[in-house]
Amino acid sequence: MSVALSVVVPVKDEAANVGPLAREIAAALGPEAAHEIIFIDDGSSDGTSDALQALKTEIPSLRVLRHERNL
């Protein structure tokens, strides 16, 4: 699949918010659009990374990058 649009979302300690935000972005982009949603976890310590990983099965266009520490 060729990607026509990339949405990049930096997050830090947003475990409760990443799910609703990712779902809202995915719904706005729709199933037909060639897109990817990239969340960059900037060293979260509250479970944000786990929440994002769990969303990958629900939102196939989701990509997760994680920094080990806040950069």
Side-chain angles (χ1 to χ4, degrees):
M1 173 177 95
S2 173
V3 175
L5 176 67
S6 296
V7 177
V8 180
V9 184
V11 292
K12 182 174 188 309
D13 296 331
E14 295 289 342
N17 299 314
V18 293
L21 179 59
R23 288 182 191 100
E24 188 171 329
I25 293 169
L29 295 175
E32 286 89 39
H35 67 272
E36 64 183 351
I37 305 166
I38 303 169
F39 274 75
I40 302 174
D41 180 0
D42 195 19
S44 294
S45 59
D46 71 341
T48 297
S49 182
D50 293 335
L52 288 169
Q53 291 300 323
L55 284 167
K56 288 174 72 172
T57 57
E58 180 182 335
I59 305 171
S61 61
L62 180 65
R63 308 288 176 260
V64 178
L65 303 173
R66 184 174 193 280
H67 297 160
E68 291 298 319
R69 60 181 180 86
N70 180 255
L71 299 172

